[in-house]
Amino acid sequence: MEISRREFLKLGLVAGAGIALPFGASACSSPGQDLTGRLLRSKARLPEPFEVPLSLPPVAKPVLIDTTTDYYEIVQKEAGQEILPGLKTEVWGYNGIFPGPTIEAKSGKGVIVRQANELPVPVSTHLHGGRTPPESDGYPTDLILPEGHSPHAQHAHPGEAGEPSNRGSKDYVYPLEQRAATLWYHDHRMDFTGPQVYKGLAGFHIIRDKEEDALPIPKGEKDVPLMICDRSFDEDGSFMYPSLDPTLRGEPGVENEYMSGVLGDVILVNGVPWPFMEVSNTRYRFRILNASNARRYELALDPEPQDGAPFVQVGSDGGLLGAPAHHRRIPIAPAERFDVVIDFSRYAVGTKVTLKNRLGDGRTSDIMRFDVVRKEKDESVIPERLSDTVDFEGLDASGARLTREFDFTRTEHQGRVAWGINDEVFDPARIVARPELGSTEIWEFTTDVHHPVHLHLVHFKVLSRQSFARGSKPLPTDAGWKDTVDLRPREVARVLVRFDGYRGSYVFHCHNLEHEDMMMMANFEVA
Ligand code: C2O
Ligand code: CU
Ligand code: CU
């Protein structure tokens, strides 16, 4: 009898014997066990850390507001931006800026975004974390072609025929029938998501609701979105990325050494390299998003406060937790969001507190710095109970209709290395699961290296993680509703998914964007 790799993982034999992973060792061309990817070194002179103040992306202004809907118009275009002091970087940005403008929305009030494409390539825009009808979900082949673009010049995909494409612009309709949460929007073009997000196509989309507004947690200027990502820069300030075809019009993919993921050596927060932010000695809420292509971080504070946990988590990908969770460190994989409160009253005025990355080395071990510069009265409180709509009580593994298994590993496609799910690469025409609307299922994921696995449309709860070395409990940082789970090497993780919202077909995929572009993606259809 042949024992599958999956059985090996479940029995804990792989870690025990240290064998039998087809590509296990070689797929991990990483600086350490905690990262999957390869470092690309900048040629530009890099600034010292903590010299540039943090900036916040502007809040987008609706072009029209009526009783049911807020209307926006965003133009995707190229523009110069000073990211490294004294140098210009050509970014591809929503309204020409990186990060794009933040969309502020209310739960249950619709948002319609007209996305116009003035870039030289096709785009598709996805609202990550959104419960969105399929026509507006930013399917990888549901493209907005540039005005005057001939579809024949474009790389042909199997199954692409028949996909609707739009020319010049597309209206995305978001009902936003969902809880308050920190979402983000980003490019999702088939085969080219990695380089297009890297060039700047990402922004925040924040949903608020009455339940959250009523809480006494930090608000207004003390509710701060932080988009963390890594980039590398060429001498002249341009972004470096190892595309096979840097015009992004021909062959997709990256140079072979980078197939595990592209890691930059500059850490940006809201597009600013290693910024500093002045704060008062009060509580602040930070909506932390890892918008990196491949880099994982482990967030920590230095110095740590004398008493109490550095981070009080109040929300996850899918909004508020039922009760706050206290963490000393927070691992964060690409696309995950952590909504945390940091209490600067635990520090003396004058203290400089660094947000560290414990998985980095040298300059990538710093993210940003908070300078506690003044005293202020704090009106905020973190209540023991945050949310009653989190509703895990109504979601119980015994109600799951079935369990499906998905193995995320390196594979081959037409003689080339690729990334697959159950050894198959993405084919827009193939549907691998047909869950029923309103049902719950258990999805079980196994891995070779790190794969942050993301499902569109739905949210899930992490039930267990199992590996030889680490036991089977979920991590404390797995709490709450998730849409992305940070799978670690040789892990078996089980998640409980509720298929709610809309019928139609959606993708799930690895959110290491190099893996995604190298086809680690599949369709499920809510039937
Ligand atoms: Cu954030 Cu399908 O992606
Ligand atoms: Cu998504
Ligand atoms: Cu992956």
Side-chain angles (χ1 to χ4, degrees), residues 126 128-129 454 456:
H126 171 57
H128 182 125
H454 168 52
H456 284 214

Side-chain angles (χ1 to χ4, degrees), residues 419 450-452 510-512 515 520:
W419 295 96
H450 290 97
H451 298 293
C510 178
H511 220 290
N512 174 317
H515 298 190
M520 192 171 247

Side-chain angles (χ1 to χ4, degrees), residues 139 404 406 424 426-435 504-506 508 522-527:
Y139 193 82
R404 301 183 200 265
F406 298 103
E424 291 186 297
F426 184 47
D427 172 354
R430 192 180 60 243
I431 290 176
V432 302
R434 284 199 167 75
S505 90
Y506 293 88
F508 67 106
N523 293 302
F524 65 91
E525 184 181 4
V526 181

